[in-house]
């Protein structure tokens, strides 16, 4: 099952309570999740991935006997979680949470260009 995540900061709204948003999409389930979030660009991206992983964990019946493939356009987040890039101390708690989900959920995490990210394309419409 293909899942996509995307997080973004709205630069012009940095002073507001929620300056960004998190989102994920699971096309097989016709599901799109969006929420406001306060944080940096990378924090929004990690929060999007973690929200998706939490959804998967809380709904195991929807994912039984299915290969879970997660895609995102955040090179930094994906390569830190896949242990291919050094993780900065400030992002270690996020990365470690994603790794803890890896022990519970068998998923692959893959980078794709932004224009191939289903969530980004849905938000652009």
């Amino acid at each position: 099952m293909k899942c996509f995540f995307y997080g973004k900061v709205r630069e012009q709204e940095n002073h507001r309570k929620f300056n960004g948003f998190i989102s994920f999409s699971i096309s097989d389930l016709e599901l799109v999740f969006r929420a406001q979030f306060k944080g940096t660009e990378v924090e929004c991206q990690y929060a999007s991935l973690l929200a998706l992983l939490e959804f998967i964990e809380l709904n195991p019946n929807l994912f039984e006997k299915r290969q879970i493939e997660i895609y995102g356009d955040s090179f930094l987040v994906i390569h830190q979680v896949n242990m291919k890039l050094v993780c900065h101390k400030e992002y270690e708690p996020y990365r470690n949470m994603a790794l803890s989900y890896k022990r519970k959920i068998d998923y692959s995490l893959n980078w794709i260009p932004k224009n191939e990210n289903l969530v980004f394309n849905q938000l652009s419409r």
Side-chain angles (χ1 to χ4, degrees):
M1 183 175 303
K2 291 185 178 181
C3 308
F4 299 84
F5 73 96
Y6 182 72
K8 182 77 176 148
V9 168
R10 298 178 293 242
E11 297 297 331
Q12 70 276 16
E13 297 181 28
N14 207 23
H15 64 282
R16 299 187 73 173
K17 183 177 180 184
F18 300 108
N19 66 328
F21 63 90
I22 62 174
S23 185
F24 66 80
S25 174
I26 305 169
S27 55
D28 288 352
L29 302 177
E30 297 182 9
L31 175 94
V32 177
F33 170 83
R34 293 186 188 117
Q36 295 186 83
F37 191 79
K38 175 75 172 169
T40 67
E41 186 89 10
V42 175
E43 289 170 336
C44 286
Q45 294 164 350
Y46 263 114
S48 297
L49 173 60
L50 294 170
L52 170 59
L53 291 169
E54 182 176 8
F55 179 83
I56 293 169
E57 179 184 40
L58 294 174
N59 296 281
N61 56 318
L62 299 175
F63 298 92
E64 286 178 327
K65 300 177 185 163
R66 299 184 94 163
Q67 183 179 9
I68 301 169
E69 301 173 50
I70 299 176
Y71 296 91
D73 58 76
S74 174
F75 186 88
L76 184 71
V77 168
I78 289 166
H79 285 81
Q80 284 179 351
V81 174
N82 286 335
M83 307 300 277
K84 298 196 184 220
L85 276 179
V86 174
C87 187
H88 300 277
K89 273 224 180 286
E90 63 190 299
Y91 303 127
E92 280 182 1
Y94 300 104
R95 193 256 342 251
N96 292 343
M97 277 199 272
L99 291 174
S100 73
Y101 277 110
K102 192 93 165 131
R103 291 188 283 276
K104 302 180 233 177
I105 303 166
D106 185 23
Y107 69 88
S108 65
L109 186 58
N110 308 286
W111 181 84
I112 55 172
K114 187 180 285 187
N115 64 338
E116 292 179 25
N117 190 333
L118 186 62
V119 181
F120 173 74
N121 289 331
Q122 289 169 338
L123 293 171
S124 299
R125 290 183 196 151

